Amino acid sequence: MSLSFLFDPHAPVRASAKIVQIDSGQKNIIHHTNASSRCERGEFSEDRMQERANSVKQGLAEGRLQLGLWCSLGSALATEVMAGSNCDWLLIDGEHSPNDLLSIMAQLQAVGGHPVEACVRLPEENATLIKQFMDAGARSLMIPNVRNAEQAKRIVAAARYAPEGFRGFSVGHRANQFGRIKEYHQNAHLNQMLILQIECEEGVRNASEIAAVDGVDVLFVGPGDLSTNMGAMHNAGADHVQQAIASVLEAAKTAGKAAGILAPLQADAERYIANGFTYVAVGADLGLVARGSDALIAHFKKD
């Protein structure tokens, strides 16, 4: 038996092990397992293992609203519960939540059976983290506090294989089903989605140049950081902050890119959607649990 498959993920696997069936106490040899012959009989196709299309990226390219939920609890079970909500995407937070590579990978696994795109926010712009999380299966990445086009270009390059970028090459990893998806490396960029956060005045000033970078899919406003950095902590509704948010939206539209925002208050979300934001997070697991439990107990402790 050839061991070439140990080194080449696309080498045909041929096994001589016999399948044994117990029938009325008799051991009957059914047949020898042979992957190639089974393909010839049409039992399965060697090309069946394909990367699932990124429906959120497609939807945004078509101008359709994509609704998301934030996952901050660091729990695969909680994230799986959120995945069943019929949202279009989930954001697994690696910046302000108790998450790391392994806990986020567990959450990616937990939601894999749901028709939802799992996005991951990294703690910072970091080429090594981009490589590691993409290899672990996070193809939609959010990067915080992007300030200029040069930074955006570095992020895109870190996510792309040569010659377009410098993402480290690994033959088999979770993103390509451990070597089972043919031509993953050539086509990975087609389903990747890069969401760059605009969270400071410098980023607002350079939003048009950031949006114009090839490979950037979404400009995402972080209202909390943006308002804080503009001297209006806890007040994203301040006029000058709202003007900045509107300018980011316009920059994205002009470049033919999507604009996103976190809007856990229903009135804010409805306003942003009406204004043209199409990648909108409308709630978070932490907020839903905290506010829901507060309201429930308050109802019974009226005195």
Side-chain angles (χ1 to χ4, degrees), residues 230-248:
M230 295 185 72
M233 185 182 291
H234 297 303
N235 188 16
D239 288 344
H240 67 296
V241 178
Q242 285 296 304
Q243 290 171 8
I245 291 173
S247 72
V248 174

Side-chain angles (χ1 to χ4, degrees), residues 180-211:
R180 296 186 180 101
I181 298 177
K182 292 184 177 181
E183 300 183 352
Y184 165 83
H185 300 90
Q186 297 94 317
N187 299 320
H189 66 283
L190 298 177
N191 283 310
Q192 289 174 356
M193 185 167 66
L194 293 178
I195 307 125
L196 305 191
Q197 285 195 270
I198 307 300
E199 301 184 288
C200 67
E201 290 180 276
E202 182 183 358
V204 172
R205 287 195 304 271
N206 294 319
S208 294
E209 289 77 13
I210 294 169

Side-chain angles (χ1 to χ4, degrees), residues 3 140 142 176:
L3 297 180
S140 297
M142 180 180 289
N176 73 346

Side-chain angles (χ1 to χ4, degrees), residues 87-131:
C87 60
D88 300 302
W89 55 274
L90 294 173
L91 189 287
I92 303 171
D93 191 9
E95 183 185 15
H96 291 298
S97 300
N99 275 313
D100 58 17
L101 177 60
L102 289 177
S103 69
I104 288 177
M105 185 176 70
Q107 290 171 74
L108 293 172
Q109 292 169 325
V111 306
H114 294 269
V116 59
E117 181 66 19
C119 309
V120 173
R121 178 163 70 170
L122 298 185
E124 61 180 355
E125 177 213 340
N126 183 304
T128 299
L129 291 179
I130 290 172
K131 172 182 62 180

Side-chain angles (χ1 to χ4, degrees), residues 260-277:
I261 196 165
L262 173 59
L265 297 180
Q266 183 174 333
D268 289 342
E270 290 174 345
R271 184 178 73 257
Y272 290 132
I273 291 169
N275 289 343
F277 283 88

Side-chain angles (χ1 to χ4, degrees), residues 6-272:
L6 292 176
F7 309 99
D8 180 358
H10 302 313
V13 178
R14 300 177 183 275
S16 59
K18 296 177 180 179
I19 298 175
V20 178
Q21 174 179 296
I22 306 299
D23 182 15
S24 300
Q26 301 296 317
K27 293 182 179 180
N28 300 316
I29 297 174
I30 307 301
H31 62 269
H32 290 81
T33 301
N34 184 299
S36 294
S37 63
R38 290 179 69 191
C39 284
E40 291 168 3
R41 293 197 302 271
E43 291 182 30
F44 67 83
S45 167
E46 288 184 332
D47 294 328
R48 69 175 181 171
M49 189 69 76
Q50 298 179 358
E51 186 178 15
R52 178 173 54 86
N54 190 328
S55 59
V56 171
K57 183 174 182 176
Q58 292 177 349
L60 292 174
E62 296 166 3
R64 292 186 281 112
L65 174 64
Q66 304 294 300
L67 295 174
L69 293 171
W70 220 258
C71 297
S72 302
L73 295 177
S75 162
L77 184 59
T79 299
E80 186 178 12
V81 171
M82 300 286 276
S85 68
N86 200 33
C87 60
D88 300 302
W89 55 274
L90 294 173
L91 189 287
I92 303 171
D93 191 9
E95 183 185 15
H96 291 298
S97 300
N99 275 313
D100 58 17
L101 177 60
L102 289 177
S103 69
I104 288 177
M105 185 176 70
Q107 290 171 74
L108 293 172
Q109 292 169 325
V111 306
H114 294 269
V116 59
E117 181 66 19
C119 309
V120 173
R121 178 163 70 170
L122 298 185
E124 61 180 355
E125 177 213 340
N126 183 304
T128 299
L129 291 179
I130 290 172
K131 172 182 62 180
Q132 288 183 312
F133 278 84
M134 283 194 155
D135 283 1
R139 60 187 183 172
S140 297
L141 292 181
M142 180 180 289
I143 310 297
N145 199 23
V146 177
R147 299 175 298 280
N148 54 60
E150 288 306 312
Q151 186 181 7
K153 291 176 182 177
R154 290 197 304 269
I155 292 166
V156 173
R160 299 282 182 94
Y161 291 112
E164 291 82 13
F166 57 87
R167 177 182 171 187
F169 181 91
S170 174
V171 172
H173 42 61
R174 188 171 180 273
N176 73 346
Q177 287 295 307
F178 312 101
R180 296 186 180 101
I181 298 177
K182 292 184 177 181
E183 300 183 352
Y184 165 83
H185 300 90
Q186 297 94 317
N187 299 320
H189 66 283
L190 298 177
N191 283 310
Q192 289 174 356
M193 185 167 66
L194 293 178
I195 307 125
L196 305 191
Q197 285 195 270
I198 307 300
E199 301 184 288
C200 67
E201 290 180 276
E202 182 183 358
V204 172
R205 287 195 304 271
N206 294 319
S208 294
E209 289 77 13
I210 294 169
V213 173
D214 185 39
V216 172
D217 297 289
V218 182
L219 294 191
F220 191 93
V221 177
D225 275 301
L226 182 59
S227 59
T228 298
N229 289 328
M230 295 185 72
M233 185 182 291
H234 297 303
N235 188 16
D239 288 344
H240 67 296
V241 178
Q242 285 296 304
Q243 290 171 8
I245 291 173
S247 72
V248 174
L249 171 63
E250 185 59 32
K253 284 184 173 181
T254 300
K257 306 294 176 69
I261 196 165
L262 173 59
L265 297 180
Q266 183 174 333
D268 289 342
E270 290 174 345
R271 184 178 73 257
Y272 290 132

